[in-house]
Amino acid sequence: MLQLHNTPTKLLEEFTPISDKRVSLYTCGPTVYSTPHVGNWVAYIRWDTLVRTLQANGYLVERVMNITDVGHLTGENEGDADQGEDKLQKGARRDGVTAWRVAERYTQEFLDGMAKLNLLMPAHITKATDFIPQQLALVRTLKEKGFTYQIDDGIYFDTSKFPRYAEFAHLNLASLQAGARVSVNQQKRNPSDFALWKFSPIDEQRDMEWDTPADLTAEKKIRKGFPGWHLECSAMAMDILGETIDIHTGGIDHIPVHHTNEIAQSEAASGKQFAHYWLHNNHLKSDGTKISKSLGNGYTLDDIAAKGFSALDFRLFILQSHYRTESNFTWENLESAKNRMQHWRNIARLRWQTYDTLVDDQEKVATASTESIVNASSAILAALNEDLDTPRALSVIDETFSTIDKRPLTETQQAALVSLLEKLDDLLGLRLLDSTPDISEDQKQLILERQRAREEKDWKQSDVLRDALLAQGITVNDTRYGVVWAKAD
């Protein structure tokens, strides 16, 4: 039974999809104006685990993830997401190219990062600029239902017309204006009102702007404009997945504004519940503080690689904490995750060193080593089914691999170990199988020659052969049960 913590109720709830076997899932994607840093990647690793867990429970997941390539304003960081400069325009000025080129560059960077992290590609990766007609249609529906009004800089949603506006995030609307670090637009009827469609400044030609249909403006004339950040997600989600979806995911910073506004505009337009389950991941700090450009702690995947770590080391580091807890990135913490990954990979390499036969296969089933392996798969999925409890799942893996370490290799059933590794790769995406190929026949021959040298007490030759293997990145461990080789990454 899969249970998820639902943000609006703050309860752990049994997951029951709208359809028996199909799950509709929307994930808030990146704003593609700069290179993603470690904090940006956390959410995508978390929700990749969600998708994998859903699939392990037999669900077919239809997932939409947006690419915000227009409309996300810098004022969001200061308390008013409807003010400031478009982040894509800001990136264009910084890079000396058009906003379109900025979007193209950083969208590709993001997709490349997804591949490095072994993240499953959603069925639909949607760019906001490809869904302008759908967004304008949503504005039209809201206008026809009486939820909009126009001021000098755009068309706004009147939150006073949606009585449930504050419920999702348990907002104190009276305190919103006082909490903003920028002055609130005085033309807005309510501080919580938000832009559906922004008008381009009269004296400025934007790289990204579209005709605002005349029937949407008070003047009944065409004006240039661009979509509001919140509008994009609702339009894309409902266009592809339907008016009501199973799960919507994002960061906790989305709760009070972005997701609250999505709910308001979506449910005002459709008259139906927008999403049944809302999941939110907590932040990642870096070096104990908030990630910021001024502190220089917004490390990228390239920064990680330059220090000798892989993207999968970082993925494992993120999985070591629960998605609803705040975590802290340090190079020391990443080193710990790398060491854990190295140990797991060496356990995975044992599959090349144990062999099943018709005679001993059934005997191995009753051993402590194989029994632990067989039980691990269900225990790992049980942990993930309890609100994606990845720390507990990793603990199960550690305990299982520790049991294998302590027992003779001859007691480990190869088929059971391979099956477990396949399950781990499916659930956690760590590529334990792909990253641990067998050694060559020549290297195996060196190990055999070294064993013979030891049997003949030719310690000098044994040491020479050990050094030859080490030069090729292979270590050998002489246990009382025999020789076990591993990789010295």
Side-chain angles (χ1 to χ4, degrees), residues 75-81 83 171-186 188 191-192 256-257:
E76 178 239 351
N77 298 324
E78 300 174 318
D80 190 343
Q83 297 195 51
L171 297 174
N172 181 351
L173 296 181
S175 67
L176 283 182
Q177 186 165 0
R181 286 186 286 154
V182 294
S183 58
V184 175
N185 188 329
Q186 294 302 311
K188 289 166 64 171
S192 56
V257 180

Side-chain angles (χ1 to χ4, degrees), residues 3 5 69 110 137 239 248 286 341 437:
Q3 294 181 299
H5 183 273
D69 55 358
F110 180 79
D239 182 71
H248 196 308
S286 181
M341 178 74 85

Side-chain angles (χ1 to χ4, degrees), residues 222-258:
I222 295 175
R223 299 181 61 174
K224 292 292 184 182
F226 58 96
W229 174 37
H230 319 299
L231 182 75
E232 301 168 1
C233 290
S234 291
M236 289 185 278
M238 292 196 293
D239 182 71
I240 298 173
L241 299 176
E243 294 176 326
T244 301
I245 65 176
D246 287 302
I247 306 173
H248 196 308
T249 64
I252 58 171
D253 52 311
H254 289 151
I255 296 173
V257 180
H258 185 48

Side-chain angles (χ1 to χ4, degrees), residues 244-486:
T244 301
I245 65 176
D246 287 302
I247 306 173
H248 196 308
T249 64
I252 58 171
D253 52 311
H254 289 151
I255 296 173
V257 180
H258 185 48
H259 288 172
T260 290
N261 292 348
E262 276 191 65
I263 290 170
Q265 64 198 8
S266 301
E267 296 186 1
S270 70
K272 301 175 183 177
Q273 184 176 355
F274 181 38
H276 286 174
Y277 301 86
W278 290 83
L279 274 64
H280 293 92
N281 64 281
N282 210 324
H283 295 300
L284 174 73
K285 287 186 173 181
S286 181
D287 301 323
T289 62
K290 183 178 179 180
I291 296 176
S292 70
K293 182 180 290 188
S294 62
L295 293 174
N297 61 356
Y299 308 115
T300 66
L301 293 182
D302 285 343
D303 293 330
I304 286 173
K307 284 188 173 286
F309 299 98
S310 72
L312 293 180
D313 292 333
F314 175 68
R315 180 181 181 124
L316 180 57
F317 161 74
I318 294 302
L319 295 177
Q320 290 178 163
S321 60
H322 193 275
Y323 80 92
R324 289 194 289 114
T325 63
E326 186 178 78
S327 49
N328 182 41
F329 176 89
T330 66
W331 295 111
E332 293 76 15
N333 290 344
L334 186 58
E335 183 71 38
S336 176
K338 179 180 180 179
N339 292 338
R340 193 178 203 174
M341 178 74 85
Q342 174 67 3
H343 177 236
W344 287 11
R345 284 177 174 168
N346 280 331
I347 293 293
R349 292 181 175 103
L350 294 180
R351 73 189 187 279
W352 303 116
Q353 303 173 66
T354 181
Y355 305 93
D356 296 339
T357 68
L358 292 176
V359 176
D360 71 0
D361 192 36
Q362 288 303 314
E363 293 178 2
K364 288 181 179 179
V365 172
T367 65
S369 179
T370 298
E371 185 177 354
S372 176
I373 293 172
V374 171
N375 293 336
S377 291
S378 58
I380 293 164
L381 182 56
L384 295 178
N385 277 347
E386 193 168 334
D387 197 30
L388 309 180
D389 192 345
T390 53
R392 196 175 102 207
L394 302 194
S395 179
V396 171
I397 298 168
D398 282 336
E399 292 171 6
T400 302
F401 287 174
S402 177
T403 300
I404 295 173
D405 259 341
K406 295 174 182 177
R407 305 299 300 173
L409 191 54
T410 53
E411 292 186 7
T412 299
Q413 188 187 62
Q414 185 189 53
L417 178 57
V418 171
S419 178
L420 174 60
L421 294 170
E422 290 172 344
K423 189 75 169 181
L424 294 184
D425 281 351
D426 287 343
L427 286 172
L428 302 177
L430 296 174
R431 301 187 64 184
L432 293 174
L433 288 170
D434 289 350
S435 61
T436 55
D438 198 2
I439 58 176
S440 69
E441 291 303 316
D442 288 344
Q443 290 165 336
K444 291 177 182 178
Q445 185 61 38
L446 285 177
I447 292 174
L448 288 174
E449 290 177 13
R450 180 179 172 277
Q451 284 180 266
R452 283 196 290 269
R454 286 179 60 81
E455 290 167 0
E456 296 169 2
K457 302 188 185 307
D458 187 348
W459 310 120
K460 183 177 179 180
Q461 179 65 5
S462 171
D463 289 345
V464 168
L465 293 168
R466 176 190 286 271
D467 291 342
L469 288 163
L470 188 58
Q472 298 177 50
I474 299 170
T475 64
V476 286
N477 183 24
D478 300 304
T479 75
R480 57 177 174 153
Y481 305 116
V483 177
V484 176
W485 62 261

